[in-house]
Amino acid sequence: MSASPMNVGIIGCGVISTAYIRGAARSRHILVKSVADIREEAARSQASAMGVGYATIDEMLADPSIEIVINLTIPNAHAEVSTRILEAGKHVYSEKPLTVSVEEAQNLLQLAAKRGLRVGCAPDTFLGASHQACKVLLDDRRIGTVLGGSASFLSRGMEAWHPNPDFFFKSGGGPVLDLGPYYITVLVNLLGPIRLVTATASTGYLTRRIGSGDRAGEDIAVETPTSYSALLIFESGARFSLDASWDVWKHQRSPIEIYGTEGSLLVPDPNFFGDEPKVSERGGDWQAVDISAFAFGERNRTLRTGREVADHRSIGVVDMALAIRQGRPHRANGDLALHVLDVLLAIGRSAAESRVIEIGSSCDRPLPVSTGSSEAVFEVINQTHSGKVA
Ligand SMILES: NC(=O)c1ccc[n+]([C@@H]2O[C@H](COP(=O)([O-])OP(=O)(O)OC[C@H]3O[C@@H](n4cnc5c(N)ncnc54)[C@H](O)[C@@H]3O)[C@@H](O)[C@H]2O)c1
């Protein structure tokens, strides 16, 4: 394997770009060569603030030394920008959701396959210590056969802190498309693909007031439902309830609970990488699951609330870069992202049309991440593909 890092570019220099540039700086396997944005001044200022190169989008796409371009634009621009990246002969790693329609996602994957290029997609939190420990625990059948469970992500909306929160409340936004990728990706990684969904939805508030930045105090119209309740049936037969809302001030629900024939598992918040799962076997007390042998569990970020969390965002890109070099599948891949998007859009469609929706796509469970140190773990070539859960 080449010792030199793979050069990457970033298109989209908004809020999340800082986390990616910092994440890349922690890895010896990728190097952010330049950043670009449709707003050239945003790219110039982020390049100078973070000490990376600046380029126009055209310059970046014409740069032969850049192999992967990370697409951090807003969801409605993902398909167009990712298509341009692939057409320029570069692998693309996109922020979630992959696109805002299944057809766009299918076109993207077909284009990539035709050109022999990779499509990767956030979230990559499922590669972290918390969720990899859960995967091993479930595969070791510590709670027996999984029968069902629940997933909940309930909060106020993003308008309180995001300076430009409009896209969260337009078509292509809402809690299911915005936060659902974390939860559905973790569930598919643990339990395999989803076969059927049914859902209802409502809109709690018709306007939202921006709470920070230059536009603080400005009201924006809400054009998408902001509360959903759904039922998900997995190909394995497991049944999950899912509640997603931006209309909730406070609650006491766990992010994900999984119930099996021999016990129950509390899966940590899929937004982060290093919280401890808890398991109860045959009705016994909750026991913390030791995650110390797994990579990417180190706490490295302090939230506004003062809570210390593990945030290793960008490890999906690192895995993809090494997978390209090693000629193996990458984990946060396009097939997984397409299936997750298919499920998320089906939740919206089911709610809008009051009907049960069968999911057309499927995918393999991603390869597990071996135990070991965060720096080295993707260098281990894992030959066994875990495949679908029967
Ligand atoms: N903000 C977060 O905490 C967060 C967390 C996880 C994932 N994400 C995802 O990351 C993506 C970006 O979110 P953000 O919060 O950084 O948004 P943002 O609005 O802060 O930044 C988006 C950037 O993309 C640029 N852009 C838009 N259209 C473009 C185009 N066609 N070509 C080039 N540049 C274009 C904008 O000028 C802007 O600088 C979204 O998909 C979001 O779902 C955001």
Side-chain angles (χ1 to χ4, degrees):
M1 192 187 332
S2 157
S4 58
M6 185 178 280
N7 280 335
V8 305
I10 291 178
I11 300 181
C13 290
V15 171
I16 204 61
S17 60
T18 303
Y20 272 84
I21 298 169
R22 286 203 184 121
R26 282 194 294 269
S27 172
R28 62 172 184 265
H29 300 299
I30 57 171
L31 180 77
V32 176
K33 185 166 180 211
S34 58
V35 296
D37 198 289
I38 200 167
R39 297 179 299 128
E40 293 187 1
E41 74 290 354
R44 275 186 210 283
S45 116
Q46 184 66 324
S48 110
M50 302 301 292
V52 294
Y54 159 81
T56 65
I57 295 172
D58 287 340
E59 283 165 355
M60 181 184 291
L61 295 181
D63 181 342
S65 75
I66 291 179
E67 291 183 59
I68 297 176
V69 177
I70 304 173
N71 179 357
L72 304 183
T73 63
I74 53 172
N76 279 329
H78 285 178
E80 179 208 322
V81 172
S82 292
T83 301
R84 278 189 72 190
I85 294 167
L86 291 171
E87 280 172 346
K90 304 190 184 303
H91 308 284
V92 62
Y93 185 93
S94 173
E95 245 306 335
K96 50 78 191 167
L98 180 56
T99 58
V100 294
S101 81
V102 170
E103 194 189 356
E104 286 171 338
Q106 285 166 336
N107 290 342
L108 211 58
L109 297 195
Q110 273 163 17
L111 177 62
K114 206 163 91 191
R115 304 251 171 147
L117 294 166
R118 305 276 185 128
V119 174
C121 188
D124 53 6
T125 47
F126 73 96
L127 302 175
S130 314
H131 302 105
Q132 290 295 318
C134 290
K135 188 172 173 107
V136 169
L137 189 144
L138 290 173
D139 288 354
D140 287 348
R141 298 186 56 82
R142 287 270 301 278
I143 64 164
T145 302
V146 173
L147 301 174
S150 67
S152 321
F153 39 109
L154 312 170
S155 70
R156 295 292 300 159
M158 308 297 178
E159 77 279 10
W161 62 272
H162 197 290
N164 291 301
D166 310 62
F167 73 84
F168 292 113
F169 299 103
K170 305 290 173 209
S171 144
V176 165
L177 273 182
D178 182 52
L179 290 168
Y182 295 97
Y183 290 76
I184 301 296
T185 304
V186 160
L187 286 173
V188 172
N189 178 53
L190 295 177
L191 303 170
I194 291 166
R195 185 172 63 80
L196 211 85
V197 308
T198 177
T200 60
S202 60
T203 304
Y205 304 83
L206 295 179
T207 59
R208 298 274 173 155
R209 184 154 296 171
I210 301 177
S212 74
D214 295 344
R215 297 169 61 206
E218 189 184 318
D219 283 338
I220 49 178
V222 176
E223 295 169 14
T224 179
T226 45
S227 287
Y228 291 83
S229 294
L231 179 67
L232 315 174
I233 313 289
F234 286 73
E235 285 184 12
S236 69
R239 299 156 50 91
F240 272 67
S241 64
L242 175 141
D243 281 290
S245 177
W246 283 338
D247 300 328
V248 176
W249 284 102
K250 203 174 172 91
H251 66 89
Q252 287 200 313
R253 313 265 289 266
S254 309
I256 297 177
E257 303 194 354
I258 300 184
Y259 313 129
T261 50
E262 303 296 323
S264 299
L265 175 66
L266 300 182
V267 178
D269 185 344
N271 285 288
F272 301 109
F273 295 69
D275 298 323
E276 274 178 347
K278 290 198 175 97
V279 65
S280 156
E281 289 170 81
R282 301 192 75 86
D285 288 344
W286 292 113
Q287 307 284 341
V289 176
D290 181 11
I291 61 167
S292 59
F294 293 88
F296 310 114
E298 309 87 32
R299 289 170 199 264
N300 57 358
R301 182 178 150 205
T302 309
L303 298 182
R304 278 183 293 264
T305 55
R307 187 179 149 217
E308 302 265 310
V309 296
D311 186 353
H312 298 272
R313 203 182 290 266
S314 81
I315 59 175
V317 188
V318 175
D319 177 49
M320 186 166 102
L322 283 167
I324 291 165
R325 295 268 196 263
Q326 296 163 350
R328 62 158 171 88
H330 57 289
R331 294 169 171 91
N333 61 57
D335 289 339
L336 171 64
L338 168 62
H339 179 63
V340 168
L341 177 71
D342 202 0
V343 171
L344 301 173
L345 291 172
I347 291 172
R349 221 164 53 246
S350 170
E353 298 171 12
S354 301
R355 65 184 180 95
V356 175
I357 295 197
E358 242 176 275
I359 304 300
S361 64
S362 188
C363 66
D364 288 339
R365 292 171 82 205
L367 289 168
V369 178
S370 318
T371 49
S373 78
S374 299
E375 217 1 53
V377 83
F378 292 137
E379 293 175 45
V380 179
I381 303 177
N382 193 337
Q383 301 290 1
T384 47
H385 203 300
S386 66
K388 290 176 199 167
V389 172

